[in-house]
Amino acid sequence: MSTHRLRVLIFTIPLFVVALFLCIKLAAPDTYTCLIREDSEIEYMQSLFYFLAAVFAFFASKNLLGKRIFLPGVVCAILAAGLLFISLEEISWGQRIFKIETPAFFKQHNAQKELSVHNLMPVQSRIHKLYMLIGAYGAFAWIIAALAVPGSRARSLHIVNFTVVPWHISSYFFIAFFWYTVFEFSERPHPGSFLAWRDQEPVELLLSLGFLLFAVSGYLRTQPGINGWTAAAGRSAAARKDANYP
């Protein structure tokens, strides 16, 4: 399979996932409810995807800093820390796995009475707008980058490649942007409506997979011989040779 066809396939996967969950919701609502319940396999998959993304971002940072490429290296390190935090948040820092008692502060201020920051009441009231912003950035920033910094994608270790989601992964972020925009400004779930708040779980699953693909993409760019690193080194060596030619 060519690189372009692989990217097109990656881009279209969210459409098939959304269609699959919609079919399950329509044809087998009880099964769908089971799939999106609290502490479901989908929630644990989200945590796993974020954790794996953190690992890939960490090793990308390690490779970049080892090559003294500091700015992209620091960006990947920050990304790794953020993804690890989200991974632990998704499973409430292992509270239900290890049967940890909820501290008094979280009992009082957490909307779900659990050990998580994103469900603290002041944070929870803004979390959907944060998802919208993250979704919009991931979905559309590549267009702005292509116009503002033409040719940056061809340079494998350019900072743009570690801060901007490529087009073939942007669909995972667009689903989140679209979903939370609809929820916030159009059709809020209510008793008897087709939409439910737990419908966000498949959307968040796709978002976590999008972050994993982005982290893997960044890690691969730091590998010798992949995505132009070797080619860039070869051009650099040729340039030095020409400069020294008598």
Side-chain angles (χ1 to χ4, degrees):
M1 182 183 292
S2 68
T3 301
H4 178 70
R5 287 184 178 178
L6 177 60
R7 288 174 176 171
V8 171
L9 175 61
I10 291 172
F11 181 85
T12 57
I13 284 175
L15 302 179
F16 291 105
V17 172
V18 169
L20 174 62
F21 276 102
L22 181 59
C23 288
I24 295 172
K25 181 170 184 173
L26 292 172
D30 291 341
T31 301
Y32 179 78
T33 300
C34 183
L35 285 173
I36 63 171
R37 73 185 190 281
E38 188 76 22
D39 289 332
S40 66
E41 288 77 8
I42 288 180
E43 256 193 357
Y44 283 109
M45 284 176 66
Q46 293 171 34
S47 178
L48 176 61
F49 287 162
Y50 280 122
F51 177 78
L52 292 175
V55 171
F56 278 105
F58 170 78
F59 281 108
S61 174
K62 182 175 178 292
N63 292 341
L64 289 164
L65 294 175
K67 292 287 182 180
R68 299 184 180 276
I69 305 173
F70 292 108
L71 185 55
V74 170
V75 166
C76 287
I78 295 172
L79 179 63
L83 291 169
L84 179 60
F85 176 82
I86 296 171
S87 173
L88 294 171
E89 278 283 297
E90 285 294 330
I91 56 172
S92 302
W93 298 80
Q95 180 180 13
R96 284 178 286 276
I97 297 173
F98 300 109
K99 302 187 184 333
I100 301 171
E101 181 69 22
T102 302
F105 174 84
F106 287 91
K107 280 185 178 179
Q108 181 179 355
H109 299 286
N110 189 288
Q112 295 189 4
K113 312 300 181 187
E114 64 179 16
L115 189 60
S116 63
V117 174
H118 73 279
N119 280 321
L120 290 174
M121 294 171 190
V123 180
Q124 192 190 54
S125 63
R126 297 173 174 83
I127 196 73
H128 288 173
K129 291 183 175 63
L130 179 61
Y131 274 123
M132 286 169 52
L133 290 173
I134 292 172
Y137 180 81
F140 304 117
W142 67 273
I143 301 173
I144 299 171
L147 296 173
V149 195
S152 60
R153 291 293 185 185
R155 288 171 279 166
S156 185
L157 301 182
H158 194 284
I159 183 63
V160 166
N161 291 314
F162 298 95
T163 55
V164 175
V165 175
W167 70 268
H168 59 284
I169 304 176
S170 65
S171 55
Y172 297 78
F173 292 81
F174 177 79
I175 296 294
F177 166 71
F178 177 80
W179 181 256
Y180 284 104
T181 299
V182 170
F183 262 27
E184 284 296 307
F185 300 110
S186 180
E187 181 67 24
R188 280 181 168 269
H190 58 272
S193 70
F194 179 72
L195 295 178
W197 283 115
R198 296 298 299 175
D199 288 337
Q200 67 192 8
E201 293 304 323
V203 175
E204 292 182 14
L205 177 66
L206 285 171
L207 185 62
S208 66
L209 182 55
F211 271 109
L212 175 56
L213 291 170
F214 178 53
V216 170
S217 172
Y219 170 73
L220 290 177
R221 289 182 179 278
T222 69
Q223 297 302 293
I226 297 178
N227 288 323
W229 188 339
T230 298
R235 289 193 298 270
S236 178
R240 289 195 298 269
K241 183 178 178 181
D242 290 342
N244 296 326
Y245 192 84

